[in-house]
Amino acid sequence: MARTVWDSSVGKKTVMAVSGLVMLLYLVVHMIGNLKIFFGSGEFNHYAHWLRTLGEPFLHYEWALWIIRVALVVAVVAHATAAYQLSRRDIRARPSKYVHRKPRAGYATRTMRWGGIILGLFIVWHILDLTTGTVHSGGFQSGHPYQNVVDTFSTWYGNIVYIVAMLALGLHIRHGFWSAAQTLGAGSRTRDRALKTVANVLALLLTVGFVAVPVGVMTGVVS
């Protein structure tokens, strides 16, 4: 049954919708946590330490964090795989271009594919920068996330990569949230306007919330 559901377009769209909502929930929590940086290094570092002790003593040190990481990896892989396979299926269904072009879709809709690629590359860079420290500038300090964040956003390329990715994220959420609602049956003629408003508000809040951190470093509010 699982194989049959996965092989259908509806099944793949459902996987995309559910995995997308899981990632959206994480992003909201992650953004709120990021904003703690404006309360100083002590507050931000304490929050980072708390994430590693979450669930103790029932769970061992960092177990909860690793459970969250594994769940996110599963969500990202499922989302990307379903998106790629749906895209290939759509191309095979119409190998030649339409004679009459469809009305222009919204900017977010037309950039969903490239936005997804940008976000995928950003996730890899973000992990190598602030989790493993592999590409971190200024000398990665394990256990000192506040200083690591300041180091990253003290470089011009760190700011550009992050801000461009967050703009792509905003566009992705703006279209993706509404699409997920339609796929899961929450949409209707009477609710569409409300759902689009929620999608726009979520996209704006997350974009502004995430971009606030590099802007704070650049302006000296966070130093």
Side-chain angles (χ1 to χ4, degrees):
M1 182 180 293
R3 181 70 185 186
T4 301
V5 171
W6 172 252
D7 285 341
S8 69
S9 294
V10 173
K12 293 184 190 298
K13 288 180 180 179
T14 302
V15 168
M16 281 192 69
V18 173
S19 59
L21 292 176
V22 168
M23 290 186 286
L24 179 60
L25 176 62
Y26 167 78
L27 287 169
V28 171
V29 175
H30 187 44
M31 181 201 68
I32 295 172
N34 279 3
L35 293 177
K36 286 182 175 290
I37 201 167
F38 289 99
F39 295 94
S41 60
E43 181 83 11
F44 192 70
N45 289 340
H46 176 70
Y47 165 69
H49 176 71
W50 172 80
L51 286 175
R52 286 159 175 76
T53 60
L54 187 64
E56 289 186 344
F58 179 72
L59 297 175
H60 286 289
Y61 183 75
E62 285 195 344
W63 275 24
L65 192 57
W66 276 105
I67 290 172
I68 294 171
R69 286 169 174 167
V70 170
L72 282 173
V73 168
V74 171
V76 169
V77 171
H79 195 79
T81 302
Y84 174 76
Q85 292 184 358
L86 282 170
S87 176
R88 298 301 301 172
R89 183 171 293 181
D90 183 55
I91 291 172
R92 287 196 299 269
R94 49 177 182 86
S96 58
K97 294 183 178 179
Y98 293 113
V99 176
H100 300 289
R101 304 185 74 178
K102 289 184 177 181
R104 291 187 70 183
Y107 185 75
T109 305
R110 290 184 284 112
T111 56
M112 282 293 283
R113 185 179 303 169
W114 284 107
I117 294 172
I118 290 171
L119 291 172
L121 294 174
F122 168 75
I123 290 171
V124 174
W125 176 82
H126 196 51
I127 291 172
L128 293 176
D129 178 36
L130 293 176
T131 301
T132 66
T134 307
V135 299
H136 185 73
S137 61
F140 184 78
Q141 300 180 51
S142 180
H144 297 276
Y146 182 93
Q147 188 57 49
N148 293 332
V149 170
V150 171
D151 287 343
T152 290
F153 297 131
S154 295
T155 61
W156 64 268
Y157 58 86
N159 288 310
I160 290 176
V161 169
Y162 193 87
I163 292 173
V164 168
M166 292 307 100
L167 293 175
L169 175 67
L171 290 172
H172 211 76
I173 291 172
R174 181 173 176 267
H175 177 71
F177 179 83
W178 184 81
S179 295
Q182 302 302 310
T183 298
L184 297 177
S188 69
R189 184 173 298 177
T190 56
R191 289 195 292 263
D192 275 358
R193 180 173 294 181
L195 287 170
K196 287 182 178 179
T197 300
V198 172
N200 289 335
V201 171
L202 274 173
L204 180 62
L205 287 177
L206 284 169
T207 302
V208 172
F210 280 118
V211 170
V213 177
V215 171
V217 175
M218 284 189 288
T219 56
V221 175
V222 176
S223 62

